[in-house]
Amino acid sequence: MKGLVIEADSSLYTIEAEGIIYRLSPRGIFRKQNLHVIAGDYVDFDENNLVINYVYERKSSLNRPKAANIDQLVVVMSLKEPDFSPYLLLKYLTYANYNEIKAKVILTKTDLADPDTTSKATSLLEKLKIEHYLISNKTQEGMETLKGVFSSHLSVLMGQTGVGKSSLLNSLNPDFNREIGEYSYALNRGKHKTTSTTLLPFLGGYIADTPGFSSLELRMSLDELAKYFPSFSPAYLSCYYADCKHISEPGCEVKKQVNEGIIPREVYDIYMKMREDINEGLF
């Protein structure tokens, strides 16, 4: 029987098939061949012996958070507590581009943010041509519009601990009943509550609730950063050199567009900072 892995927790997996939930273990060959099952996988399983036989080919996958067959990555950023970070936003978007998954952005805590912060964040996203939404889990601002974002999609929520992912899910559907973490003012970050990736059924699709984190390691080369950095595509395809790093090479279309104001200077400056971080092993 074919089923969808809706939660992967240690050696047991929760599978949904034809409206029935199963708790299964993989066959021994999985361990011998170092094969892994992750949330979002479609698997063939034996409903009598309750074992997973094999995993169907994945259309897409993410290493962090671990999830498969996603058709959109929804980046959740707070405007306050923790403060909005353009650097982190561009890091998430680079990660989405690298994995060839469409990204959308949700900005939370509009009720706490000052107008200037909100304006700067939305202006940056508009320049990047990224679909984005402003919401407040407290006042319910923007929640009704947001439902259409997830309808009929397999979406992954991604963001720092404390940005309000669990609160967002509970606002979309109180039956989700996700446990909400506290915000640590001393550490300026949230405290982990979600510990594993879980697919929650929603309007003909699924939303993957994922563990939050304070940092994201991209683990990519300088060449890959130059290719997948937000707003550089398709400009980099017109660079004179195929391996252009967009620094001082002649015929660089990316630098040309930066100088013309087509690519925001702020975005390019963050690209240069990310290059430094890769060179220093901070990525």
Side-chain angles (χ1 to χ4, degrees), residues 128-142:
L128 291 169
K129 297 181 173 60
I130 299 295
E131 188 175 328
H132 59 280
Y133 301 85
L134 290 162
I135 69 160
S136 168
N137 296 318
K138 184 177 181 179
T139 68
Q140 295 296 291
E141 175 193 352

Side-chain angles (χ1 to χ4, degrees), residues 189-244:
R189 60 178 172 81
K191 300 177 182 179
H192 296 274
K193 283 295 182 182
T194 304
T195 58
S196 63
T197 299
T198 303
L199 301 189
L200 305 169
F202 187 73
L203 296 180
Y206 289 88
I207 304 174
D209 186 19
T210 63
F213 41 83
S214 56
S215 63
L216 171 67
E217 295 180 5
L218 290 183
R219 296 179 182 175
M220 63 174 55
S221 67
L222 293 174
D223 285 341
E224 289 169 331
L225 181 67
K227 179 178 180 181
Y228 294 109
F229 193 76
S231 79
F232 284 10
S233 177
Y236 78 90
L237 295 173
S238 299
C239 292
Y240 184 81
Y241 294 102
D243 61 347
C244 185

Side-chain angles (χ1 to χ4, degrees), residues 5 8-9 21 31 33 47 80 102 125 132 137 154 165 184 186 206 208 210 214 230 239 244 253 272:
V5 179
D9 186 8
I21 301 297
R31 181 174 295 177
Q33 296 186 359
E47 59 184 307
K80 187 76 174 176
K102 181 179 177 60
L125 286 162
H132 59 280
N137 296 318
L154 203 168
K165 297 190 301 297
S184 171
Y206 289 88
T210 63
S214 56
C239 292
C244 185
E253 180 63 21
M272 293 298 292

Side-chain angles (χ1 to χ4, degrees), residues 2 12 19 23 33 36 73 90 94 96 98-99 127-129 131 139 145-146 159 173 179 183 194 228 258 278:
K2 185 177 181 179
L12 277 178
R23 291 281 282 171
Q33 296 186 359
H36 300 281
L73 192 155
L90 288 164
T94 300
Y98 177 73
N99 287 281
K127 290 174 182 176
L128 291 169
K129 297 181 173 60
E131 188 175 328
T139 68
T145 301
L146 202 57
N173 184 350
E179 191 173 1
Y183 183 78
T194 304
Y228 294 109
V258 171
I278 288 177

Side-chain angles (χ1 to χ4, degrees), residues 78-101:
S78 64
L79 293 165
K80 187 76 174 176
E81 298 175 7
D83 293 340
F84 177 76
S85 167
Y87 180 96
L88 188 56
L89 170 67
L90 288 164
K91 206 171 185 181
Y92 288 141
L93 295 177
T94 300
Y95 185 64
N97 290 343
Y98 177 73
N99 287 281
E100 298 182 342
I101 299 174

Side-chain angles (χ1 to χ4, degrees), residues 53-68:
N53 296 319
Y54 59 85
V55 178
Y56 288 94
E57 183 179 357
R58 295 165 180 161
K59 295 179 180 179
S60 64
S61 65
L62 291 173
N63 185 51
R64 187 179 185 192
K66 289 191 178 299

Side-chain angles (χ1 to χ4, degrees), residues 1-277:
M1 180 178 286
K2 185 177 181 179
L4 174 67
V5 179
I6 60 175
E7 186 170 15
D9 186 8
S10 187
S11 60
L12 277 178
Y13 301 89
T14 305
I15 315 290
E16 189 275 328
E18 299 179 359
I20 300 174
I21 301 297
Y22 299 84
R23 291 281 282 171
L24 310 172
S25 296
R27 290 190 179 277
I29 194 172
F30 278 70
R31 181 174 295 177
K32 292 178 182 179
Q33 296 186 359
N34 197 30
L35 302 174
H36 300 281
V37 182
I38 60 179
D41 272 334
Y42 286 96
V43 298
D44 179 85
F45 68 95
D46 186 327
E47 59 184 307
N48 296 314
N49 295 315
L50 298 180
V51 292
I52 299 172
N53 296 319
Y54 59 85
V55 178
Y56 288 94
E57 183 179 357
R58 295 165 180 161
K59 295 179 180 179
S60 64
S61 65
L62 291 173
N63 185 51
R64 187 179 185 192
K66 289 191 178 299
N69 299 309
I70 312 107
D71 56 37
Q72 65 177 5
L73 192 155
V74 181
V75 178
V76 184
M77 302 282 297
S78 64
L79 293 165
K80 187 76 174 176
E81 298 175 7
D83 293 340
F84 177 76
S85 167
Y87 180 96
L88 188 56
L89 170 67
L90 288 164
K91 206 171 185 181
Y92 288 141
L93 295 177
T94 300
Y95 185 64
N97 290 343
Y98 177 73
N99 287 281
E100 298 182 342
I101 299 174
K102 181 179 177 60
K104 299 176 182 178
V105 174
I106 296 174
L107 299 174
T108 67
K109 305 185 183 181
T110 55
D111 54 295
L112 298 179
D114 62 84
D116 186 54
T117 298
T118 303
S119 176
K120 287 180 179 178
T122 55
S123 175
L124 175 59
L125 286 162
E126 286 166 1
K127 290 174 182 176
L128 291 169
K129 297 181 173 60
I130 299 295
E131 188 175 328
H132 59 280
Y133 301 85
L134 290 162
I135 69 160
S136 168
N137 296 318
K138 184 177 181 179
T139 68
Q140 295 296 291
E141 175 193 352
M143 294 307 303
E144 198 60 37
T145 301
L146 202 57
K147 291 180 179 179
V149 174
F150 296 103
S151 177
S152 302
H153 287 289
L154 203 168
S155 311
V156 162
L157 290 183
M158 187 177 191
Q160 284 178 288
T161 303
V163 296
K165 297 190 301 297
S166 295
S167 296
L168 164 62
L169 288 168
N170 290 340
S171 293
L172 287 171
N173 184 350
D175 290 339
F176 287 155
N177 196 29
R178 306 306 288 171
E179 191 173 1
I180 298 170
E182 299 174 359
Y183 183 78
S184 171
Y185 291 93
L187 300 175
N188 194 34
R189 60 178 172 81
K191 300 177 182 179
H192 296 274
K193 283 295 182 182
T194 304
T195 58
S196 63
T197 299
T198 303
L199 301 189
L200 305 169
F202 187 73
L203 296 180
Y206 289 88
I207 304 174
D209 186 19
T210 63
F213 41 83
S214 56
S215 63
L216 171 67
E217 295 180 5
L218 290 183
R219 296 179 182 175
M220 63 174 55
S221 67
L222 293 174
D223 285 341
E224 289 169 331
L225 181 67
K227 179 178 180 181
Y228 294 109
F229 193 76
S231 79
F232 284 10
S233 177
Y236 78 90
L237 295 173
S238 299
C239 292
Y240 184 81
Y241 294 102
D243 61 347
C244 185
K245 305 297 189 299
H246 321 310
I247 308 300
S248 57
E249 299 91 337
C252 174
E253 180 63 21
V254 169
K255 284 295 298 289
K256 178 175 179 289
Q257 291 194 15
V258 171
N259 292 332
E260 293 174 352
I262 299 172
I263 295 174
R265 174 64 63 176
E266 175 190 11
V267 170
Y268 182 77
D269 289 344
I270 291 175
Y271 167 72
M272 293 298 292
K273 177 65 170 63
M274 287 189 185
R275 284 183 55 86
E276 292 177 13
D277 289 347

